[in-house]
Amino acid sequence: MVVIAAEHVSKFYPLNRYRPSLRHEALSLLRGTAQGPRMEQDGYWALRDVSFEVQRGESVALVGRNGAGKTTLLRILSRITAPTEGRVQVTGRAVALIGLSAGFDMEHSGRQNIFLNAAILNMPPKQVRPLIDEIIAFAELEEFIDLPVKTYSSGMVARLGFSIAVHVMPNIIFLDEVLSVGDSGFQQKCIAKLHELRSEDRTFVIVSHAIEQVHELAKRAIWLDEGQIRMDDTTQEVIEAYRAETVVPPTPPTQT
């Protein structure tokens, strides 16, 4: 059963909304190639004519260089932003972890934010209450759960966001680099939880620069290059092709 369908999706941003970072520009100059969005006189296309489908229970990774369009695509799939052209259909309850503080009211406590995030997903308080202790324990925030979220570290916010996302019974989970936050022990706990959910026929779309996580969590990968699909195949095939093109070989020592 198809649960995610993207049909000829494109996203255009006006020029005044695009501010490439100094690091991004410097890397582009060093490589000697145009890395990132395709610029036009009045803006740029972050995505251009992207089409694919995801079946229920699939785990799919989006890979590509910075500026390739991965997060933009994830935002469109999770309905945070709308495509300029094309359409997206997502079937089932979906949660998105995109940005550490996305969906949080920083003035309210962690406990209050659990109910707030669940409400956004149309999950009433009576369904959340039996899960509240499990959510707090998984996030390892028992001592801090009644403090305002603005007092949390970025790692604490990420742990709470992840714990809410995986405990509110989602059919589809969108993840953007959230597993790179926190210590290795918590990362492994998150990965184990994702494996558990995958065994329950949940669907994942993951953005990560950590290739080992991509291999571990996704059986399929889509390589985005300058806003277009370069390759859509098994994770092994895509990662091998991606590495062959993007990994710069070491410079041999100078002979004296």
Side-chain angles (χ1 to χ4, degrees):
M1 175 184 174
V2 174
V3 294
I4 301 172
E7 300 176 4
H8 306 291
V9 171
S10 298
K11 183 66 177 181
F12 183 81
Y13 288 106
L15 186 59
N16 62 359
R17 294 183 60 186
Y18 177 57
R19 295 291 184 270
S21 68
L22 291 176
R23 178 177 180 274
H24 184 271
E25 291 183 310
L27 287 174
S28 297
L29 288 172
L30 287 171
R31 293 189 182 110
T33 56
Q35 301 294 332
R38 296 184 177 185
M39 298 301 298
E40 294 185 5
Q41 186 175 0
D42 57 347
Y44 78 103
W45 289 97
L47 294 171
R48 197 63 169 155
D49 197 26
V50 170
S51 297
F52 63 94
E53 293 181 345
V54 178
Q55 301 286 330
R56 185 175 64 186
E58 267 197 293
S59 50
V60 180
L62 303 178
V63 302
R65 288 175 168 151
N66 290 334
K70 305 181 301 297
T71 297
T72 297
L73 179 56
L74 210 64
R75 287 176 177 273
I76 290 173
L77 295 178
S78 55
R79 296 170 182 161
I80 293 173
T81 189
T84 306
E85 298 175 356
R87 63 187 294 269
V88 166
Q89 183 173 347
V90 177
T91 304
R93 173 181 283 169
V95 296
L97 283 172
I98 303 175
L100 296 179
S101 59
F104 283 95
D105 184 330
M106 306 304 283
E107 298 296 327
H108 284 76
S109 70
R111 188 184 305 273
Q112 290 170 316
N113 271 279
I114 294 173
F115 287 97
L116 173 63
N117 277 260
I120 293 172
L121 296 167
N122 296 318
M123 192 173 186
K126 66 180 181 180
Q127 292 183 16
V128 180
R129 289 190 186 97
L131 301 172
I132 195 81
D133 289 340
E134 188 175 351
I135 292 171
I136 295 168
F138 188 94
E140 302 173 4
L141 291 174
E142 291 91 342
E143 297 179 20
F144 309 97
I145 197 63
D146 292 309
L147 296 176
V149 171
K150 66 181 180 182
T151 66
Y152 291 9
S153 68
S154 60
M156 292 163 71
V157 175
R159 296 204 307 268
L160 181 58
F162 184 91
S163 186
I164 295 170
V166 298
H167 284 92
V168 295
M169 297 176 285
N171 305 111
I172 302 166
I173 301 177
F174 299 109
L175 299 167
D176 186 4
E177 297 291 358
V178 294
L179 297 183
S180 62
V181 178
D183 58 39
S184 59
F186 188 77
Q187 289 180 29
Q188 288 304 311
K189 184 164 76 168
C190 291
I191 291 171
K193 186 65 177 179
L194 292 178
H195 282 303
E196 176 187 328
L197 293 175
R198 193 169 64 179
S199 70
E200 299 172 358
D201 221 19
R202 311 297 171 90
T203 304
F204 299 94
V205 180
I206 303 163
V207 170
S208 177
H209 288 97
I211 299 301
E212 65 278 3
Q213 287 182 357
V214 171
H215 272 297
E216 186 170 359
L217 292 172
K219 295 183 179 179
R220 173 186 168 196
I222 297 174
W223 175 7
L224 288 175
D225 185 17
E226 296 188 1
Q228 295 181 309
I229 293 181
R230 178 76 173 272
M231 187 176 181
D232 182 350
D233 208 325
T234 65
T235 299
Q236 184 67 33
E237 293 291 331
V238 171
I239 294 301
E240 286 181 2
Y242 177 66
R243 277 178 163 167
E245 180 165 314
T246 59
V247 175
V248 179
T251 305
T254 304
Q255 298 295 326
T256 57

